[in-house]
Amino acid sequence: MLLTHKENILKFSWLLPSFLSLFLFGSTVKAAAMPAAGVAIANWHFDSNRNHLDFTTDENVQPKVQLLTNPTRLVIDLSGVTLGYPQTSQRVGLVIQNIRIEQFNAETTRMVVTLAPGYTFDLAQVKLQEESPNHWSVQLPKPVPLTAIQPKYLERTPSISPTVSDNSTLFAGVVPMHSPMKALEPQIKALMSRYSFLKTGMFFLDLDTGDYLDIGGDRVFPAASTIKLPILIAFFQDLDAGKVTLQEILTMRRDLVTNGSGTMQYERVGKKYTALETITKMITISDNTATNMIIDRLGGVAKLNQRFRSWGLKDTVIRHLLADLRGTNTTSSEDMARVLALVVNNKLVSSQSREQVLDILRHTTVRTLLPAGLGKGAVIANKTGDIGFLIGDAGFITMPNGKRYLAAIFVTRPYKDTRGRDFIRQVSQLVYNYLNQTNPVAAVNSPNSATR
């Protein structure tokens, strides 16, 4: 399959907060003076069958290749190339996940090849070739598991990630906890004061720096449909273990049909669905009947609750099949962030299942809570919940600059009061704007950080 793009690059200035890198120069690359700003990339394409990248630019551009980690990305920087087009990207597959091109800073265009977690490239086998003064090619080797590469170059290049002394400083045992987002807290608390009739709990975590915002993150709330997030993960755990399959047939029994969200309740009892259809409806349209069918297939409420406890979830408990309109099923913002952190870091499911999980979550249809506060180009994999007097949302966000963070928030409100939704949107916007700046402290003092 051949992927071809006309370049559209978005200008922005962003510095990676933490990375390990090695610089690679192709043996045939000739030294050349840097051109003036304004050099353009005419076109580029990636042949996924051969793992071969071609791009054309003006003469005298010196590409520089780096291998960045967490997640593993092969980066090609083109100094002296400054373009005024939006960022563009192309999804490729399960291991080589996507290729994107963006404006890294005012004078550098960056091409990024992102791999699935758990995989890397042997940098010594990456071949950068100057085909002509304005035509370059990059031959990528076959991605290999991280365990297959001895990290000698990592030992020579120290990480500037937050130092972790023991597991007590790791969130969910996988993400280093660094510093509270103290510069952001006053704006969040001022917003809470304006919405004092709401009760909230929230937890946000920058996966790259370890900075976090924790305001009542351990408060227990009715889970509503956010309970479907850990149920989804449990299904894919069993898929990895060979206990279920995506194509197996599930029958909609009368005792599993329920009201509330979803469309399956309107179908005839006895209708058959594949497991993939069922879990997809459970998440994307938050179908309650589909959820009950999956709970039943996974062995019932007690087994799922035991599974949740084994993941370290303290507050996430199923007490009632859906629809749980009284809110007896519970969770917390911290628990929702915990399960997302474990999934993103491949601690609960395989890399392939992780990608399927995130893809399903990216197609949820309710976009009025956390997604409504994100900037253009941000991608969120999330699950919402709404039982009238409570709304919540939990998600994994990837920003256009590559920064990744976790978000979880719950709000109890007067029944169906839309101001609860507005509050979550504004909190999401404040956090996004904060993390979207090179200097977060300056960001919260910027006029552009005001909520709409």
Side-chain angles (χ1 to χ4, degrees), residues 181 184 187-188 202-206 213 370 373-374 397 399 403 405-407 424-437 443-444 449 451:
M181 300 179 189
L184 180 60
Q187 282 199 358
I188 298 292
M202 65 185 75
F203 189 90
F204 293 80
L205 176 63
D206 184 332
L213 176 70
L370 287 172
L374 304 180
I397 296 99
M399 302 170 69
K403 182 178 285 293
Y405 66 98
L406 305 178
I424 291 180
R425 173 183 60 80
Q426 291 179 67
V427 169
S428 178
Q429 182 184 349
L430 284 171
V431 175
Y432 183 90
N433 287 347
Y434 177 87
L435 294 175
N436 198 36
Q437 302 295 319
V444 299
S449 69
T451 57

PDB file of all heavy atoms in Angstrom, residues 181 184 187-188 202-206 213 370 373-374 397 399 403 405-407 424-437 443-444 449 451:
ATOM      1  N   MET A 181       0.448  20.411  39.522  1.00  0.00           N
ATOM      2  CA  MET A 181       0.312  21.555  38.615  1.00  0.00           C
ATOM      3  C   MET A 181      -0.161  22.769  39.416  1.00  0.00           C
ATOM      4  O   MET A 181      -1.283  23.249  39.265  1.00  0.00           O
ATOM      5  CB  MET A 181      -0.669  21.227  37.489  1.00  0.00           C
ATOM      6  CG  MET A 181      -0.265  20.047  36.630  1.00  0.00           C
ATOM      7  SD  MET A 181      -1.508  19.691  35.321  1.00  0.00           S
ATOM      8  CE  MET A 181      -0.897  18.134  34.670  1.00  0.00           C
ATOM      9  N   LEU A 184      -1.699  25.892  37.903  1.00  0.00           N
ATOM     10  CA  LEU A 184      -3.034  25.751  37.330  1.00  0.00           C
ATOM     11  C   LEU A 184      -4.121  25.713  38.404  1.00  0.00           C
ATOM     12  O   LEU A 184      -5.266  26.094  38.148  1.00  0.00           O
ATOM     13  CB  LEU A 184      -3.092  24.480  36.488  1.00  0.00           C
ATOM     14  CG  LEU A 184      -4.406  24.142  35.791  1.00  0.00           C
ATOM     15  CD1 LEU A 184      -4.815  25.255  34.824  1.00  0.00           C
ATOM     16  CD2 LEU A 184      -4.293  22.817  35.048  1.00  0.00           C
ATOM     17  N   GLN A 187      -6.765  28.660  39.034  1.00  0.00           N
ATOM     18  CA  GLN A 187      -7.825  28.830  38.028  1.00  0.00           C
ATOM     19  C   GLN A 187      -8.889  27.746  38.163  1.00  0.00           C
ATOM     20  O   GLN A 187     -10.084  28.020  38.027  1.00  0.00           O
ATOM     21  CB  GLN A 187      -7.229  28.813  36.628  1.00  0.00           C
ATOM     22  CG  GLN A 187      -6.558  30.119  36.237  1.00  0.00           C
ATOM     23  CD  GLN A 187      -6.390  30.240  34.735  1.00  0.00           C
ATOM     24  OE1 GLN A 187      -6.744  29.346  33.972  1.00  0.00           O
ATOM     25  NE2 GLN A 187      -5.840  31.358  34.294  1.00  0.00           N
ATOM     26  N   ILE A 188      -8.452  26.522  38.420  1.00  0.00           N
ATOM     27  CA  ILE A 188      -9.419  25.436  38.586  1.00  0.00           C
ATOM     28  C   ILE A 188     -10.294  25.696  39.807  1.00  0.00           C
ATOM     29  O   ILE A 188     -11.523  25.538  39.762  1.00  0.00           O
ATOM     30  CB  ILE A 188      -8.702  24.080  38.719  1.00  0.00           C
ATOM     31  CG1 ILE A 188      -7.901  23.759  37.453  1.00  0.00           C
ATOM     32  CG2 ILE A 188      -9.711  22.974  39.026  1.00  0.00           C
ATOM     33  CD1 ILE A 188      -8.725  23.495  36.228  1.00  0.00           C
ATOM     34  N   MET A 202     -11.457  15.218  40.399  1.00  0.00           N
ATOM     35  CA  MET A 202     -10.745  15.180  39.115  1.00  0.00           C
ATOM     36  C   MET A 202      -9.308  14.748  39.310  1.00  0.00           C
ATOM     37  O   MET A 202      -8.705  14.967  40.367  1.00  0.00           O
ATOM     38  CB  MET A 202     -10.799  16.540  38.426  1.00  0.00           C
ATOM     39  CG  MET A 202     -10.085  17.646  39.170  1.00  0.00           C
ATOM     40  SD  MET A 202     -10.303  19.279  38.390  1.00  0.00           S
ATOM     41  CE  MET A 202     -11.993  19.676  38.852  1.00  0.00           C
ATOM     42  N   PHE A 203      -8.762  14.127  38.267  1.00  0.00           N
ATOM     43  CA  PHE A 203      -7.365  13.711  38.286  1.00  0.00           C
ATOM     44  C   PHE A 203      -6.838  13.789  36.854  1.00  0.00           C
ATOM     45  O   PHE A 203      -7.401  13.177  35.946  1.00  0.00           O
ATOM     46  CB  PHE A 203      -7.224  12.286  38.819  1.00  0.00           C
ATOM     47  CG  PHE A 203      -5.800  11.872  39.059  1.00  0.00           C
ATOM     48  CD1 PHE A 203      -5.196  12.089  40.290  1.00  0.00           C
ATOM     49  CD2 PHE A 203      -5.059  11.265  38.057  1.00  0.00           C
ATOM     50  CE1 PHE A 203      -3.878  11.712  40.522  1.00  0.00           C
ATOM     51  CE2 PHE A 203      -3.743  10.887  38.269  1.00  0.00           C
ATOM     52  CZ  PHE A 203      -3.153  11.104  39.507  1.00  0.00           C
ATOM     53  N   PHE A 204      -5.764  14.571  36.665  1.00  0.00           N
ATOM     54  CA  PHE A 204      -5.106  14.709  35.367  1.00  0.00           C
ATOM     55  C   PHE A 204      -3.628  14.384  35.554  1.00  0.00           C
ATOM     56  O   PHE A 204      -3.025  14.787  36.552  1.00  0.00           O
ATOM     57  CB  PHE A 204      -5.253  16.132  34.817  1.00  0.00           C
ATOM     58  CG  PHE A 204      -6.663  16.510  34.451  1.00  0.00           C
ATOM     59  CD1 PHE A 204      -7.560  16.907  35.433  1.00  0.00           C
ATOM     60  CD2 PHE A 204      -7.097  16.491  33.137  1.00  0.00           C
ATOM     61  CE1 PHE A 204      -8.868  17.252  35.116  1.00  0.00           C
ATOM     62  CE2 PHE A 204      -8.391  16.836  32.803  1.00  0.00           C
ATOM     63  CZ  PHE A 204      -9.280  17.227  33.790  1.00  0.00           C
ATOM     64  N   LEU A 205      -3.036  13.687  34.591  1.00  0.00           N
ATOM     65  CA  LEU A 205      -1.626  13.281  34.708  1.00  0.00           C
ATOM     66  C   LEU A 205      -0.932  13.402  33.366  1.00  0.00           C
ATOM     67  O   LEU A 205      -1.345  12.787  32.376  1.00  0.00           O
ATOM     68  CB  LEU A 205      -1.544  11.838  35.210  1.00  0.00           C
ATOM     69  CG  LEU A 205      -0.141  11.226  35.310  1.00  0.00           C
ATOM     70  CD1 LEU A 205       0.718  11.988  36.318  1.00  0.00           C
ATOM     71  CD2 LEU A 205      -0.225   9.754  35.686  1.00  0.00           C
ATOM     72  N   ASP A 206       0.138  14.226  33.335  1.00  0.00           N
ATOM     73  CA  ASP A 206       0.984  14.367  32.150  1.00  0.00           C
ATOM     74  C   ASP A 206       1.906  13.148  32.090  1.00  0.00           C
ATOM     75  O   ASP A 206       2.763  12.962  32.955  1.00  0.00           O
ATOM     76  CB  ASP A 206       1.792  15.662  32.269  1.00  0.00           C
ATOM     77  CG  ASP A 206       2.637  15.961  31.037  1.00  0.00           C
ATOM     78  OD1 ASP A 206       3.028  15.020  30.334  1.00  0.00           O
ATOM     79  OD2 ASP A 206       2.923  17.149  30.797  1.00  0.00           O
ATOM     80  N   LEU A 213      -2.600  16.957  38.346  1.00  0.00           N
ATOM     81  CA  LEU A 213      -3.596  17.777  39.021  1.00  0.00           C
ATOM     82  C   LEU A 213      -4.550  16.821  39.730  1.00  0.00           C
ATOM     83  O   LEU A 213      -5.224  16.020  39.079  1.00  0.00           O
ATOM     84  CB  LEU A 213      -4.353  18.646  38.020  1.00  0.00           C
ATOM     85  CG  LEU A 213      -5.505  19.487  38.593  1.00  0.00           C
ATOM     86  CD1 LEU A 213      -4.967  20.614  39.458  1.00  0.00           C
ATOM     87  CD2 LEU A 213      -6.368  20.048  37.465  1.00  0.00           C
ATOM     88  N   LEU A 370     -15.102  16.069  28.192  1.00  0.00           N
ATOM     89  CA  LEU A 370     -13.675  16.321  27.988  1.00  0.00           C
ATOM     90  C   LEU A 370     -13.322  16.705  26.555  1.00  0.00           C
ATOM     91  O   LEU A 370     -12.555  17.657  26.343  1.00  0.00           O
ATOM     92  CB  LEU A 370     -12.860  15.103  28.415  1.00  0.00           C
ATOM     93  CG  LEU A 370     -12.733  14.838  29.915  1.00  0.00           C
ATOM     94  CD1 LEU A 370     -12.062  13.485  30.162  1.00  0.00           C
ATOM     95  CD2 LEU A 370     -11.969  15.953  30.623  1.00  0.00           C
ATOM     96  N   GLY A 373     -13.385  20.494  25.379  1.00  0.00           N
ATOM     97  CA  GLY A 373     -12.399  21.469  25.835  1.00  0.00           C
ATOM     98  C   GLY A 373     -11.042  21.335  25.181  1.00  0.00           C
ATOM     99  O   GLY A 373     -10.123  22.093  25.510  1.00  0.00           O
ATOM    100  N   LEU A 374     -10.885  20.397  24.258  1.00  0.00           N
ATOM    101  CA  LEU A 374      -9.586  20.158  23.642  1.00  0.00           C
ATOM    102  C   LEU A 374      -9.374  21.045  22.424  1.00  0.00           C
ATOM    103  O   LEU A 374     -10.327  21.466  21.770  1.00  0.00           O
ATOM    104  CB  LEU A 374      -9.468  18.691  23.220  1.00  0.00           C
ATOM    105  CG  LEU A 374      -9.693  17.651  24.318  1.00  0.00           C
ATOM    106  CD1 LEU A 374      -9.536  16.240  23.739  1.00  0.00           C
ATOM    107  CD2 LEU A 374      -8.751  17.868  25.496  1.00  0.00           C
ATOM    108  N   ILE A 397      -5.511  11.412  26.174  1.00  0.00           N
ATOM    109  CA  ILE A 397      -5.450  12.468  25.164  1.00  0.00           C
ATOM    110  C   ILE A 397      -4.053  12.535  24.561  1.00  0.00           C
ATOM    111  O   ILE A 397      -3.057  12.499  25.286  1.00  0.00           O
ATOM    112  CB  ILE A 397      -5.817  13.844  25.770  1.00  0.00           C
ATOM    113  CG1 ILE A 397      -7.264  13.854  26.259  1.00  0.00           C
ATOM    114  CG2 ILE A 397      -5.624  14.968  24.758  1.00  0.00           C
ATOM    115  CD1 ILE A 397      -7.420  13.631  27.727  1.00  0.00           C
ATOM    116  N   MET A 399      -1.988  15.206  22.190  1.00  0.00           N
ATOM    117  CA  MET A 399      -2.046  16.550  21.633  1.00  0.00           C
ATOM    118  C   MET A 399      -1.295  16.607  20.306  1.00  0.00           C
ATOM    119  O   MET A 399      -0.478  15.722  20.011  1.00  0.00           O
ATOM    120  CB  MET A 399      -1.455  17.541  22.643  1.00  0.00           C
ATOM    121  CG  MET A 399      -2.175  17.524  23.988  1.00  0.00           C
ATOM    122  SD  MET A 399      -1.335  18.461  25.288  1.00  0.00           S
ATOM    123  CE  MET A 399      -1.574  20.137  24.683  1.00  0.00           C
ATOM    124  N   LYS A 403       2.408  15.488  23.025  1.00  0.00           N
ATOM    125  CA  LYS A 403       2.245  15.316  24.470  1.00  0.00           C
ATOM    126  C   LYS A 403       1.026  14.446  24.739  1.00  0.00           C
ATOM    127  O   LYS A 403       0.005  14.549  24.075  1.00  0.00           O
ATOM    128  CB  LYS A 403       2.093  16.671  25.167  1.00  0.00           C
ATOM    129  CG  LYS A 403       1.964  16.551  26.689  1.00  0.00           C
ATOM    130  CD  LYS A 403       1.853  17.916  27.343  1.00  0.00           C
ATOM    131  CE  LYS A 403       3.188  18.624  27.360  1.00  0.00           C
ATOM    132  NZ  LYS A 403       4.163  17.938  28.257  1.00  0.00           N
ATOM    133  N   TYR A 405      -1.578  12.844  27.868  1.00  0.00           N
ATOM    134  CA  TYR A 405      -1.977  12.923  29.269  1.00  0.00           C
ATOM    135  C   TYR A 405      -3.271  12.171  29.514  1.00  0.00           C
ATOM    136  O   TYR A 405      -4.023  11.861  28.590  1.00  0.00           O
ATOM    137  CB  TYR A 405      -2.082  14.377  29.737  1.00  0.00           C
ATOM    138  CG  TYR A 405      -3.165  15.234  29.124  1.00  0.00           C
ATOM    139  CD1 TYR A 405      -4.379  15.437  29.785  1.00  0.00           C
ATOM    140  CD2 TYR A 405      -2.965  15.897  27.913  1.00  0.00           C
ATOM    141  CE1 TYR A 405      -5.362  16.258  29.251  1.00  0.00           C
ATOM    142  CE2 TYR A 405      -3.933  16.718  27.371  1.00  0.00           C
ATOM    143  CZ  TYR A 405      -5.132  16.895  28.050  1.00  0.00           C
ATOM    144  OH  TYR A 405      -6.113  17.718  27.517  1.00  0.00           O
ATOM    145  N   LEU A 406      -3.500  11.856  30.793  1.00  0.00           N
ATOM    146  CA  LEU A 406      -4.709  11.174  31.232  1.00  0.00           C
ATOM    147  C   LEU A 406      -5.627  12.172  31.904  1.00  0.00           C
ATOM    148  O   LEU A 406      -5.159  13.108  32.569  1.00  0.00           O
ATOM    149  CB  LEU A 406      -4.366  10.054  32.215  1.00  0.00           C
ATOM    150  CG  LEU A 406      -3.354   9.016  31.740  1.00  0.00           C
ATOM    151  CD1 LEU A 406      -3.087   8.002  32.842  1.00  0.00           C
ATOM    152  CD2 LEU A 406      -3.824   8.326  30.469  1.00  0.00           C
ATOM    153  N   ALA A 407      -6.915  11.976  31.750  1.00  0.00           N
ATOM    154  CA  ALA A 407      -7.896  12.888  32.333  1.00  0.00           C
ATOM    155  C   ALA A 407      -9.077  12.088  32.852  1.00  0.00           C
ATOM    156  O   ALA A 407      -9.560  11.182  32.171  1.00  0.00           O
ATOM    157  CB  ALA A 407      -8.365  13.915  31.293  1.00  0.00           C
ATOM    158  N   ILE A 424     -17.237  20.816  33.152  1.00  0.00           N
ATOM    159  CA  ILE A 424     -16.241  19.834  32.698  1.00  0.00           C
ATOM    160  C   ILE A 424     -15.525  20.330  31.447  1.00  0.00           C
ATOM    161  O   ILE A 424     -14.306  20.200  31.314  1.00  0.00           O
ATOM    162  CB  ILE A 424     -16.907  18.467  32.455  1.00  0.00           C
ATOM    163  CG1 ILE A 424     -17.343  17.855  33.791  1.00  0.00           C
ATOM    164  CG2 ILE A 424     -15.953  17.527  31.707  1.00  0.00           C
ATOM    165  CD1 ILE A 424     -18.020  16.513  33.667  1.00  0.00           C
ATOM    166  N   ARG A 425     -16.268  20.919  30.531  1.00  0.00           N
ATOM    167  CA  ARG A 425     -15.638  21.457  29.321  1.00  0.00           C
ATOM    168  C   ARG A 425     -14.593  22.510  29.669  1.00  0.00           C
ATOM    169  O   ARG A 425     -13.490  22.517  29.107  1.00  0.00           O
ATOM    170  CB  ARG A 425     -16.698  22.071  28.406  1.00  0.00           C
ATOM    171  CG  ARG A 425     -16.096  22.812  27.203  1.00  0.00           C
ATOM    172  CD  ARG A 425     -17.165  23.478  26.363  1.00  0.00           C
ATOM    173  NE  ARG A 425     -17.935  24.452  27.107  1.00  0.00           N
ATOM    174  CZ  ARG A 425     -17.517  25.702  27.364  1.00  0.00           C
ATOM    175  NH1 ARG A 425     -16.319  26.104  26.946  1.00  0.00           N
ATOM    176  NH2 ARG A 425     -18.289  26.539  28.031  1.00  0.00           N
ATOM    177  N   GLN A 426     -14.917  23.396  30.604  1.00  0.00           N
ATOM    178  CA  GLN A 426     -13.982  24.462  30.956  1.00  0.00           C
ATOM    179  C   GLN A 426     -12.764  23.932  31.709  1.00  0.00           C
ATOM    180  O   GLN A 426     -11.645  24.409  31.506  1.00  0.00           O
ATOM    181  CB  GLN A 426     -14.715  25.519  31.780  1.00  0.00           C
ATOM    182  CG  GLN A 426     -15.735  26.301  30.963  1.00  0.00           C
ATOM    183  CD  GLN A 426     -16.478  27.328  31.796  1.00  0.00           C
ATOM    184  OE1 GLN A 426     -15.899  28.302  32.257  1.00  0.00           O
ATOM    185  NE2 GLN A 426     -17.771  27.087  32.008  1.00  0.00           N
ATOM    186  N   VAL A 427     -12.956  22.943  32.570  1.00  0.00           N
ATOM    187  CA  VAL A 427     -11.808  22.316  33.227  1.00  0.00           C
ATOM    188  C   VAL A 427     -10.907  21.670  32.180  1.00  0.00           C
ATOM    189  O   VAL A 427      -9.680  21.844  32.199  1.00  0.00           O
ATOM    190  CB  VAL A 427     -12.268  21.262  34.259  1.00  0.00           C
ATOM    191  CG1 VAL A 427     -11.076  20.425  34.742  1.00  0.00           C
ATOM    192  CG2 VAL A 427     -12.949  21.930  35.445  1.00  0.00           C
ATOM    193  N   SER A 428     -11.493  20.952  31.249  1.00  0.00           N
ATOM    194  CA  SER A 428     -10.727  20.306  30.184  1.00  0.00           C
ATOM    195  C   SER A 428      -9.940  21.332  29.375  1.00  0.00           C
ATOM    196  O   SER A 428      -8.769  21.130  29.043  1.00  0.00           O
ATOM    197  CB  SER A 428     -11.682  19.523  29.271  1.00  0.00           C
ATOM    198  OG  SER A 428     -10.986  18.929  28.202  1.00  0.00           O
ATOM    199  N   GLN A 429     -10.570  22.459  29.102  1.00  0.00           N
ATOM    200  CA  GLN A 429      -9.903  23.510  28.322  1.00  0.00           C
ATOM    201  C   GLN A 429      -8.738  24.118  29.092  1.00  0.00           C
ATOM    202  O   GLN A 429      -7.666  24.363  28.519  1.00  0.00           O
ATOM    203  CB  GLN A 429     -10.915  24.598  27.960  1.00  0.00           C
ATOM    204  CG  GLN A 429     -10.339  25.718  27.099  1.00  0.00           C
ATOM    205  CD  GLN A 429     -11.352  26.827  26.854  1.00  0.00           C
ATOM    206  OE1 GLN A 429     -12.523  26.660  27.157  1.00  0.00           O
ATOM    207  NE2 GLN A 429     -10.897  27.930  26.305  1.00  0.00           N
ATOM    208  N   LEU A 430      -8.926  24.359  30.378  1.00  0.00           N
ATOM    209  CA  LEU A 430      -7.852  24.936  31.193  1.00  0.00           C
ATOM    210  C   LEU A 430      -6.639  23.998  31.242  1.00  0.00           C
ATOM    211  O   LEU A 430      -5.497  24.441  31.101  1.00  0.00           O
ATOM    212  CB  LEU A 430      -8.359  25.217  32.603  1.00  0.00           C
ATOM    213  CG  LEU A 430      -9.264  26.440  32.773  1.00  0.00           C
ATOM    214  CD1 LEU A 430      -9.876  26.465  34.169  1.00  0.00           C
ATOM    215  CD2 LEU A 430      -8.486  27.735  32.511  1.00  0.00           C
ATOM    216  N   VAL A 431      -6.888  22.715  31.447  1.00  0.00           N
ATOM    217  CA  VAL A 431      -5.782  21.765  31.511  1.00  0.00           C
ATOM    218  C   VAL A 431      -5.094  21.656  30.161  1.00  0.00           C
ATOM    219  O   VAL A 431      -3.861  21.653  30.070  1.00  0.00           O
ATOM    220  CB  VAL A 431      -6.282  20.383  31.981  1.00  0.00           C
ATOM    221  CG1 VAL A 431      -5.151  19.362  31.916  1.00  0.00           C
ATOM    222  CG2 VAL A 431      -6.844  20.460  33.398  1.00  0.00           C
ATOM    223  N   TYR A 432      -5.876  21.600  29.091  1.00  0.00           N
ATOM    224  CA  TYR A 432      -5.293  21.497  27.756  1.00  0.00           C
ATOM    225  C   TYR A 432      -4.408  22.708  27.457  1.00  0.00           C
ATOM    226  O   TYR A 432      -3.272  22.573  26.981  1.00  0.00           O
ATOM    227  CB  TYR A 432      -6.400  21.376  26.709  1.00  0.00           C
ATOM    228  CG  TYR A 432      -5.876  21.194  25.299  1.00  0.00           C
ATOM    229  CD1 TYR A 432      -5.635  19.927  24.789  1.00  0.00           C
ATOM    230  CD2 TYR A 432      -5.596  22.296  24.490  1.00  0.00           C
ATOM    231  CE1 TYR A 432      -5.134  19.749  23.511  1.00  0.00           C
ATOM    232  CE2 TYR A 432      -5.097  22.131  23.213  1.00  0.00           C
ATOM    233  CZ  TYR A 432      -4.869  20.857  22.720  1.00  0.00           C
ATOM    234  OH  TYR A 432      -4.358  20.698  21.451  1.00  0.00           O
ATOM    235  N   ASN A 433      -4.920  23.908  27.717  1.00  0.00           N
ATOM    236  CA  ASN A 433      -4.136  25.116  27.453  1.00  0.00           C
ATOM    237  C   ASN A 433      -2.861  25.138  28.290  1.00  0.00           C
ATOM    238  O   ASN A 433      -1.799  25.565  27.825  1.00  0.00           O
ATOM    239  CB  ASN A 433      -4.971  26.360  27.740  1.00  0.00           C
ATOM    240  CG  ASN A 433      -6.041  26.603  26.688  1.00  0.00           C
ATOM    241  OD1 ASN A 433      -6.017  25.996  25.628  1.00  0.00           O
ATOM    242  ND2 ASN A 433      -6.990  27.467  26.994  1.00  0.00           N
ATOM    243  N   TYR A 434      -2.961  24.680  29.515  1.00  0.00           N
ATOM    244  CA  TYR A 434      -1.800  24.628  30.407  1.00  0.00           C
ATOM    245  C   TYR A 434      -0.726  23.711  29.833  1.00  0.00           C
ATOM    246  O   TYR A 434       0.458  24.083  29.775  1.00  0.00           O
ATOM    247  CB  TYR A 434      -2.262  24.136  31.774  1.00  0.00           C
ATOM    248  CG  TYR A 434      -1.173  23.961  32.793  1.00  0.00           C
ATOM    249  CD1 TYR A 434      -0.755  25.018  33.601  1.00  0.00           C
ATOM    250  CD2 TYR A 434      -0.569  22.713  32.987  1.00  0.00           C
ATOM    251  CE1 TYR A 434       0.241  24.837  34.552  1.00  0.00           C
ATOM    252  CE2 TYR A 434       0.421  22.528  33.929  1.00  0.00           C
ATOM    253  CZ  TYR A 434       0.827  23.598  34.715  1.00  0.00           C
ATOM    254  OH  TYR A 434       1.809  23.416  35.656  1.00  0.00           O
ATOM    255  N   LEU A 435      -1.116  22.534  29.392  1.00  0.00           N
ATOM    256  CA  LEU A 435      -0.152  21.563  28.888  1.00  0.00           C
ATOM    257  C   LEU A 435       0.317  21.880  27.470  1.00  0.00           C
ATOM    258  O   LEU A 435       1.320  21.333  27.014  1.00  0.00           O
ATOM    259  CB  LEU A 435      -0.763  20.159  28.917  1.00  0.00           C
ATOM    260  CG  LEU A 435      -1.053  19.600  30.312  1.00  0.00           C
ATOM    261  CD1 LEU A 435      -1.766  18.257  30.212  1.00  0.00           C
ATOM    262  CD2 LEU A 435       0.240  19.461  31.114  1.00  0.00           C
ATOM    263  N   ASN A 436      -0.375  22.768  26.786  1.00  0.00           N
ATOM    264  CA  ASN A 436      -0.043  23.107  25.408  1.00  0.00           C
ATOM    265  C   ASN A 436       1.020  24.192  25.314  1.00  0.00           C
ATOM    266  O   ASN A 436       1.388  24.594  24.215  1.00  0.00           O
ATOM    267  CB  ASN A 436      -1.301  23.558  24.658  1.00  0.00           C
ATOM    268  CG  ASN A 436      -1.132  23.497  23.149  1.00  0.00           C
ATOM    269  OD1 ASN A 436      -0.478  22.601  22.630  1.00  0.00           O
ATOM    270  ND2 ASN A 436      -1.717  24.452  22.449  1.00  0.00           N
ATOM    271  N   GLN A 437       1.506  24.658  26.450  1.00  0.00           N
ATOM    272  CA  GLN A 437       2.485  25.739  26.456  1.00  0.00           C
ATOM    273  C   GLN A 437       3.862  25.232  26.847  1.00  0.00           C
ATOM    274  O   GLN A 437       3.987  24.306  27.656  1.00  0.00           O
ATOM    275  CB  GLN A 437       2.060  26.830  27.443  1.00  0.00           C
ATOM    276  CG  GLN A 437       0.691  27.420  27.161  1.00  0.00           C
ATOM    277  CD  GLN A 437       0.645  28.166  25.835  1.00  0.00           C
ATOM    278  OE1 GLN A 437       1.587  28.877  25.492  1.00  0.00           O
ATOM    279  NE2 GLN A 437      -0.437  28.000  25.102  1.00  0.00           N
ATOM    280  N   ALA A 443       1.335  30.168  30.708  1.00  0.00           N
ATOM    281  CA  ALA A 443       0.075  29.817  30.050  1.00  0.00           C
ATOM    282  C   ALA A 443      -1.125  30.202  30.874  1.00  0.00           C
ATOM    283  O   ALA A 443      -2.117  30.701  30.352  1.00  0.00           O
ATOM    284  CB  ALA A 443       0.049  28.315  29.749  1.00  0.00           C
ATOM    285  N   VAL A 444      -1.072  29.961  32.181  1.00  0.00           N
ATOM    286  CA  VAL A 444      -2.242  30.244  33.002  1.00  0.00           C
ATOM    287  C   VAL A 444      -2.453  31.740  33.189  1.00  0.00           C
ATOM    288  O   VAL A 444      -3.535  32.172  33.572  1.00  0.00           O
ATOM    289  CB  VAL A 444      -2.146  29.547  34.384  1.00  0.00           C
ATOM    290  CG1 VAL A 444      -2.079  28.069  34.218  1.00  0.00           C
ATOM    291  CG2 VAL A 444      -0.956  30.066  35.179  1.00  0.00           C
ATOM    292  N   SER A 449      -5.947  31.811  27.931  1.00  0.00           N
ATOM    293  CA  SER A 449      -6.353  30.712  28.802  1.00  0.00           C
ATOM    294  C   SER A 449      -7.722  30.918  29.412  1.00  0.00           C
ATOM    295  O   SER A 449      -8.223  30.069  30.108  1.00  0.00           O
ATOM    296  CB  SER A 449      -5.311  30.539  29.927  1.00  0.00           C
ATOM    297  OG  SER A 449      -5.366  31.654  30.813  1.00  0.00           O
ATOM    298  N   THR A 451     -11.580  30.875  29.996  1.00  0.00           N
ATOM    299  CA  THR A 451     -12.604  29.921  29.547  1.00  0.00           C
ATOM    300  C   THR A 451     -13.681  30.635  28.777  1.00  0.00           C
ATOM    301  O   THR A 451     -13.965  31.789  29.002  1.00  0.00           O
ATOM    302  CB  THR A 451     -13.203  29.199  30.746  1.00  0.00           C
ATOM    303  OG1 THR A 451     -13.740  30.156  31.639  1.00  0.00           O
ATOM    304  CG2 THR A 451     -12.177  28.357  31.465  1.00  0.00           C
TER     305      THR A 451
END
